[in-house]
Amino acid sequence: TPLGNISDYFITAYDTGDFLSTHNDGYSGSLAWVFHLSPEWKSEHGGQLRFNPSTRSGLNIGARDFEPSFNRLLLFRTRPAALAHQVLPVSRPAGAHPRFAFTGWYMMPNDVMSAEGLKQLQLMRSASAAGTHDMCV
């Protein structure tokens, strides 16, 4: 069976006050990953990945936070029905490194990216290439 492909990947750097608002990754692929790269990150620095409450498939699922601990790899399904998630605000002390992570999406062989998904991906890539990082949501 073919493995499909990686639709996109990038490094994120969240500094004090940075966050990622609630969204889902349903158009990006079947699987998302976040590999945390900040060795001295502490819980009080914020930046947790929060999966928001959901009633998907009739289940009542409460919010769940995942610490951005060094060397932690989080994998989660984004299809067929994506769970909304966000990155909570970062409040690291002065002089500490930002919250770094390697993030991306994997597409299964039968995944099809919608026209809207392609448009959003192109906008994010253009913003990244231009150095404007306000297109992260």
Side-chain angles (χ1 to χ4, degrees):
T1 304
L3 290 176
N5 63 47
I6 294 172
S7 63
D8 201 17
Y9 58 91
F10 50 92
I11 299 290
T12 57
Y14 289 84
D15 213 337
T16 298
D18 290 345
F19 64 94
L20 187 57
S21 59
T22 301
H23 65 285
N24 70 59
D25 299 333
Y27 63 83
S28 301
S30 289
L31 182 70
W33 75 82
V34 181
F35 183 56
H36 293 287
L37 304 171
S38 298
E40 297 179 16
W41 201 261
K42 297 181 180 160
S43 182
E44 59 265 21
H45 297 169
Q48 292 83 0
L49 177 63
R50 171 173 288 168
F51 288 90
N52 298 323
S54 173
T55 55
R56 182 177 62 135
S57 303
L59 299 174
N60 187 6
I61 302 168
R64 176 118 190 242
D65 294 349
F66 291 87
E67 296 292 332
S69 304
F70 180 61
N71 260 354
R72 172 178 268 177
L73 175 64
L74 297 171
L75 301 170
F76 56 96
R77 291 190 55 134
T78 59
R79 292 183 187 198
L83 285 175
H85 55 282
Q86 63 187 348
V87 174
L88 299 179
V90 168
S91 59
R92 64 182 185 81
H97 293 290
R99 174 196 179 270
F100 287 109
F102 178 57
T103 302
W105 297 278
Y106 179 81
M107 295 188 80
M108 300 297 285
N110 58 344
D111 284 344
V112 176
M113 191 174 285
S114 68
E116 180 60 31
L118 284 171
K119 180 180 172 185
Q120 183 69 20
L121 182 59
Q122 289 167 344
L123 282 171
M124 288 189 302
R125 285 180 176 165
S126 295
S128 178
T132 57
H133 303 286
D134 56 345
M135 298 297 297
C136 292
V137 287

